[in-house]
Amino acid sequence: LHGGSGKEERLMEIQLQELIDQIKKDGVASAEAEAAAILKAARDEADVILSKARADADQMVQDARAACKREAAAGEDAIRQAGRNLLLSFRESVVRELTALLQSSVSAVYSSDAFAELLTRAVEGWARQPDAAGLQVVLNQADLDRLQSTVLAGLKERMGGGVTFRASDRFDGGFRVGVGDGGVYYDFSAEAVVDMLSAYLDPKVTALLKEAE
């Protein structure tokens, strides 16, 4: 009986040792599996973070490029607009200078002896028209007083009183020729002549500036 008891004890020790070894083996395998799972999860999360970081970086680069393009386009537009503004300002300056020159030239002609000849030719030319009955010529007061006793008196005499001269303070120089009751008239005032010539010069200046672009 005693010998049998010893064998049983050894058997139990063996079984106990095997159980302990199995527990250790299972524990190590479980720990390794858990560690592998943790490592995989960490790697997966790192991949997600890295992928998102790359996507964010790509988006930032795209946004930066788009912003650069917008700024470059805006800069080009600003340069083109500045050029247009400069050209327009220069054109307006040229037109102003030419208009001032026209005003000076027209005023010089209308205040010289040439004005009397111009007025005479215009009135005699209109007097030859079939519907020129009751011809009326309007001048400013200064020109009427200056020419009344010379040029205007001679015109009246040659036309047999078919023309009337009167004064108006509505314009500075030149004259207007009216027909009949004055409802129809032809404007040769200094202002009207300057406006007419300026209207002619304006497109000419624009065309010249376009050629220079």
Side-chain angles (χ1 to χ4, degrees):
L1 293 173
H2 180 72
S5 176
K7 291 180 179 180
E8 290 176 353
E9 287 179 356
R10 285 196 295 276
L11 179 60
M12 289 181 62
E13 288 177 358
I14 292 170
Q15 291 176 343
L16 180 60
Q17 186 61 45
E18 290 177 349
L19 179 60
I20 291 171
D21 292 341
Q22 186 65 41
I23 290 173
K24 289 181 178 180
K25 183 179 179 180
D26 292 343
V28 171
S30 176
E32 289 178 346
E34 184 175 354
I38 292 172
L39 182 60
K40 183 178 183 303
R43 285 175 177 171
D44 291 344
E45 185 176 358
D47 288 341
V48 171
I49 293 173
L50 182 59
S51 177
K52 185 177 184 304
R54 287 174 177 169
D56 290 344
D58 290 342
Q59 186 62 48
M60 289 175 64
V61 170
Q62 292 178 7
D63 292 344
R65 287 175 178 171
C68 288
K69 287 181 179 179
R70 288 194 300 271
E71 290 179 2
E76 291 175 358
D77 290 341
I79 291 173
R80 282 192 292 268
Q81 185 61 48
R84 286 192 293 268
N85 291 342
L86 181 61
L87 192 61
L88 181 61
S89 176
F90 178 69
R91 172 182 168 278
E92 291 175 349
S93 176
V94 170
V95 170
R96 281 197 302 269
E97 291 294 332
L98 290 175
T99 300
L101 181 61
L102 286 174
Q103 289 173 337
S104 176
S105 300
V106 171
S107 296
V109 170
Y110 278 4
S111 61
S112 69
D113 294 338
F115 175 65
E117 182 179 356
L118 176 63
L119 174 62
T120 299
R121 289 183 178 182
V123 172
E124 290 179 344
W126 283 111
R128 288 192 291 268
Q129 301 299 319
D131 56 349
L135 201 64
Q136 297 184 28
V137 180
V138 182
L139 303 91
N140 64 21
Q141 187 65 58
D143 287 335
L144 182 64
D145 294 340
R146 178 167 61 93
L147 302 174
Q148 181 70 59
S149 61
T150 55
V151 178
L152 304 186
L155 276 173
K156 278 187 177 182
E157 183 178 352
R158 288 195 301 273
M159 296 177 62
V163 60
T164 302
F165 296 97
R166 61 186 181 86
S168 172
D169 294 329
R170 293 184 179 180
F171 53 94
D172 293 331
F175 59 94
R176 289 173 178 167
V177 179
V179 179
D181 59 358
V184 178
Y185 68 88
Y186 301 90
D187 198 345
F188 296 94
S189 64
E191 293 88 346
V193 172
V194 170
D195 288 343
M196 179 186 65
L197 295 176
S198 297
Y200 170 78
L201 286 175
D202 200 344
K204 292 292 184 181
V205 171
T206 301
L208 288 174
L209 290 178
K210 285 183 177 180
E211 291 177 4
E213 290 178 359

